[in-house]
Amino acid sequence: MTFLKNRLFATLTTITILGALAVTAQVPYRLPETHTSQHRDLIANQKPITNPLTANRAVEASVVERENAAEIFNTAWNSESVNPYGNSYEIPSTKRIDVSDFHVPVPGRLSSPYGWRARFGRMHKGVDLTLNVGDTVRAAFSGKVRLTKYNAGGYGYYVVVRHDNGMETVYGHLSRFLVKPNQRVKAGEAIALGGNTGRSTGPHLHFETRYMGIPINPEAIIDFANKTTHKEYYVFEKASAERAVSAGSRGSKAKTSAKASTKSKRKATASKSTKARKARRR
């Protein structure tokens, strides 16, 4: 009898254990909701793994950028001349210049192009843009103001800005300065008011683009009709830029020689006429 009871108890125990295992297999264990919520928050706020190589490259790029800026704004900076470089610095034969942050200096139309001006007998080293006296003149690119000066026989009141891309821009015939030398400006920031000062035939902005003192035809960089640059980068070519300036100078000399020759011929003709009249009187 005792044996039968023990067997019955063992059988019931086995059935109970098997039933519990079956229930456990059917209903998986769930973590508390608070734990699940914390886990989700940890995943959402997890920061991306930083690649040490990428971080080093970013630091190197930052150092190079600072060094380039130091070179741009410390070279020939204190000169009072529109061209501060002169013949003292080596100018690269080519230079790729980022002009992507361009902002049109004034919204007016182009009224006089770059090049030789027969009317005035001189080289026009920029372009003229229409405006009214008092109109706002804005920086074409980001950079730092180098000069704010007055020149009675030429630019009148003018501003020279050296830009982060290495170029300089000149703004002439102004009526008022809105910036000071060594002031940082962003592309599109107001730097002056337009006017009619200096050697000017009417209100307009005289606008120049230069690289290391050498004038560049602004229309080679800028599409003034659409108020944007032709491309994101402009490739400066020293030889081409110098040829353009030289051609204007040769044109000036040729015009001067032609005028002198014409005057000489007129004098010779007048002298012959005078002699002929005197001969007839005798």
Side-chain angles (χ1 to χ4, degrees):
M1 188 69 178
T2 303
F3 175 76
L4 291 174
K5 285 182 179 180
N6 289 338
R7 289 293 302 272
L8 180 60
F9 178 77
T11 301
L12 290 172
T13 302
T14 303
I15 292 170
T16 302
I17 292 171
L18 290 173
L21 290 172
V23 171
T24 302
Q26 291 176 2
V27 182
Y29 176 74
R30 294 176 180 270
L31 290 169
E33 179 59 31
T34 54
H35 180 89
T36 303
S37 176
Q38 291 173 356
H39 187 66
R40 283 197 301 265
D41 291 342
L42 285 171
I43 292 175
N45 294 323
Q46 184 176 351
K47 295 181 180 180
I49 298 173
T50 303
N51 186 331
L53 182 60
T54 303
N56 289 339
R57 286 175 179 170
V59 171
E60 290 173 1
S62 177
V63 170
V64 170
E65 184 178 347
R66 289 197 300 272
E67 288 177 348
N68 289 341
E71 183 179 357
I72 289 171
F73 296 109
N74 289 334
T75 303
W77 180 259
N78 295 321
S79 172
E80 293 292 307
S81 173
V82 171
N83 176 5
Y85 299 94
N87 299 319
S88 304
Y89 296 88
E90 183 178 353
I91 300 172
S93 57
T94 62
K95 175 68 176 179
R96 189 168 180 255
I97 302 172
D98 185 348
V99 294
S100 58
D101 73 333
F102 170 76
H103 190 287
V104 66
V106 292
R109 62 179 177 81
L110 191 148
S111 60
S112 183
Y114 175 93
W116 171 254
R117 283 180 135 185
R119 179 183 177 186
F120 299 105
R122 59 186 172 85
M123 181 69 178
H124 190 224
K125 296 178 181 178
V127 297
D128 291 342
L129 302 169
T130 60
L131 54 65
N132 295 313
V133 174
D135 284 353
T136 303
V137 177
R138 302 181 184 278
F141 306 97
S142 297
K144 188 187 291 187
V145 178
R146 186 169 66 83
L147 290 178
T148 56
K149 292 186 68 178
Y150 178 74
N151 174 252
Y155 293 111
Y157 289 106
Y158 68 97
V159 172
V160 178
V161 181
R162 186 173 296 179
H163 303 288
D164 299 333
N165 58 17
M167 288 201 314
E168 287 194 337
T169 49
V170 182
Y171 310 78
H173 307 310
L174 308 170
S175 62
R176 181 183 174 188
F177 302 135
L178 300 179
V179 290
K180 297 178 180 179
N182 297 305
Q183 179 178 332
R184 283 286 309 182
V185 293
K186 294 181 179 179
E189 185 174 341
I191 59 173
L193 300 182
N196 186 31
T197 58
R199 190 176 181 182
S200 174
T201 57
H204 69 277
L205 174 69
H206 174 79
F207 176 71
E208 295 181 10
T209 49
R210 294 172 176 255
Y211 179 70
M212 294 196 73
I214 300 178
I216 304 168
N217 183 353
E219 289 190 85
I221 304 170
I222 303 162
D223 178 356
F224 286 100
N226 294 304
K227 298 175 176 53
T228 186
T229 54
H230 297 294
K231 296 180 180 179
E232 289 188 355
Y233 289 87
Y234 170 75
V235 179
F236 166 81
E237 294 182 349
K238 178 184 175 184
S240 298
E242 287 181 333
R243 277 198 302 270
V245 176
S246 178
S249 298
R250 286 198 301 272
S252 174
K253 291 177 182 177
K255 297 283 183 181
T256 302
S257 298
K259 288 181 179 179
S261 177
T262 301
K263 287 182 179 179
S264 296
K265 288 179 180 178
R266 288 175 180 172
K267 287 182 179 179
T269 302
S271 177
K272 288 180 181 179
S273 299
T274 302
K275 288 180 180 179
R277 284 198 300 271
K278 287 181 179 179
R280 284 196 298 269
R281 288 173 185 172
R282 292 174 185 170

